[in-house]
Amino acid sequence: QPGQNRGFNHRFKGPEGETGPQITKNRTQPKSTEDNLNFMKSYQPRNKEVKHLRILLHGPVGAGKSSFINSVDSALRGIVTDRAETDATSGKSFTLKYKTYKIEKDHQSFYSFVFNDIMGLENNADNGVHVEDIKLALRGHVKDGYKFNPYGPLTKNDQGYNSNPSLDDKVHVLVCVVPVSSVSRLDDKVVQKLREVRLAASDLGIPQLAILTKVDQACPEVRSNIHNLHKSKKLKGQVEKFSAMLGIPIKSIFLVKNYESEISTSDDISRLILTTLRQMVTFGEDYINDM
């Protein structure tokens, strides 16, 4: 339809009828980096029970969850930062604790959203985060700083268990992060865990998005010019495959390049990141206003 799907992220239109009540016109109109920055600076949750909109990132080990947090921080501040520690070599989850990240707006205040980073999912039952721990995090039962135990999920008797979570403690947006080149190679056990988490979030009514990262590594045309992102048939195919795999609508899957080797920010990269962030906030705001 004319005028639809002009957004910077997705020219990839899903089947008719996918667009739900949470999708706003912000999704289908291209937004400049400045416009997105102004939106984020002025955003405040209307629900007074919520101080910060809580966005939980989850996915397999090495997906780029911590890198995305750093990239959002970089895009908002205009300088490349590295607050959330990352590791490109071990093959194991570098994030071992449930950690909340606030992003500084100025010297006196923070943005009105937070990220929670979580241990990565692995195919082995004794490695990576347990699905039950992610389910507990969704409901606000995991305290900030809790160190995940790969041999067993959090229990009510553990110090890291929050027995009386407020609406502010609960997750308001769930984001699945997967490298785009890994979509076809995801282990069946990891896919099953991702599906289980998706179902649990759906049961709670929590809105969900997905980020496919490392687009430049997966597509030489994008590596040479980020503007080729929406033209890539290869990336389009991976988006469609991932949508079919987990049942996440195509309009809720975002292609993103994180800041990794760059020493300064770029408007083109930041626009992708901030457009994705804006949609997370839009989804989450709709959710908490329906509580």
Side-chain angles (χ1 to χ4, degrees), residues 85-182:
E85 292 184 335
T86 60
D87 178 30
T89 59
S90 71
K92 298 291 183 182
S93 184
F94 198 61
T95 301
L96 302 178
K97 294 182 178 181
Y98 190 64
K99 186 168 182 179
T100 301
Y101 289 92
K102 295 180 181 179
I103 295 179
E104 190 177 274
K105 186 189 298 186
D106 51 47
H107 293 306
Q108 285 81 36
S109 63
F110 294 90
Y111 284 93
S112 295
F113 68 90
V114 295
F115 284 113
N116 275 103
D117 198 4
I118 203 165
M119 193 178 192
L121 289 163
E122 297 189 40
N123 56 354
N124 192 311
D126 292 331
N127 290 313
V129 67
H130 289 275
V131 170
E132 289 304 316
D133 282 338
I134 303 178
K135 291 179 181 179
L136 288 171
L138 292 174
R139 300 195 296 271
H141 288 301
V142 182
K143 290 182 180 179
D144 190 43
Y146 169 70
K147 186 174 181 179
F148 293 104
N149 177 6
Y151 300 107
L154 179 67
T155 68
K156 292 181 179 180
N157 297 323
D158 290 326
Q159 284 189 336
Y161 187 86
N162 179 6
S163 58
N164 189 27
S166 66
L167 180 58
D168 198 50
D169 295 325
K170 297 177 181 179
V171 170
H172 309 126
V173 187
L174 177 67
V175 180
C176 181
V177 186
V178 173
V180 68
S181 60
S182 298

